Amino acid sequence: MAEPLRSDWRLYCFRLALVLTGSISLVGCESSAPQSMSAWFACSSKSGDQLVLGHLDFVESRGQFRLQFFGQDVFYNVKRISPQGGSVSGTAVFQGSLTGETKAAPFDFVYDRHEQRLKLDGVWNECDVLQDRSLVYLPVDETQTADPTEQQ
């Protein structure tokens, strides 16, 4: 390996130290705090009429939402999310419902990772960390069976 120029020696040593400690920054000398690979959150509207439970996987670029609004309980899949600075945006599409809805319009959203808030229909909703992660997913209907002898 060629010896670096003397004027670059400090920068070379600094970067070498970063590589050896596992805190590498090849683009420049600034480093950033590690970011979570996903977010689990529960958000409510200011009026309290709407509850949104969500999971966004920033590595896989997908996620799920559950919206509870005026008696409806609807689940959505997020097929692709796009980073925008400290936020991510995407579109959620209907997956299913616990209250009988068979379709629902897709919606766009923005999730601010740093402020933990979700923007729906132009309105920011404050979010908390979701403790029970199972609430985000559409439950499997265990009353349906694949056994043809039970279906008459």
Side-chain angles (χ1 to χ4, degrees), residues 60 91 95 135 138 140:
E60 297 291 327
T91 301
Q95 177 192 6
L135 296 174
L138 182 63
V140 175

Side-chain angles (χ1 to χ4, degrees), residues 34-106:
Q35 298 230 347
S36 175
M37 297 297 153
S38 65
W40 296 86
F41 50 88
C43 315
S44 61
S45 61
K46 290 180 183 175
S47 66
D49 294 332
Q50 181 178 16
L51 176 65
V52 181
L53 307 175
H55 171 239
L56 295 174
D57 184 323
F58 305 123
V59 175
E60 297 291 327
S61 187
R62 59 188 169 132
Q64 295 80 29
F65 282 112
R66 179 179 187 178
L67 271 66
Q68 296 175 325
F69 184 68
F70 288 116
Q72 295 180 344
D73 196 355
V74 183
F75 294 80
Y76 294 82
N77 281 327
V78 178
K79 299 291 186 188
R80 185 170 187 83
I81 57 177
S82 302
Q84 299 176 340
S87 299
V88 293
S89 64
T91 301
V93 295
F94 178 80
Q95 177 192 6
S97 169
L98 294 180
T99 51
E101 292 77 21
T102 57
K103 62 181 178 178

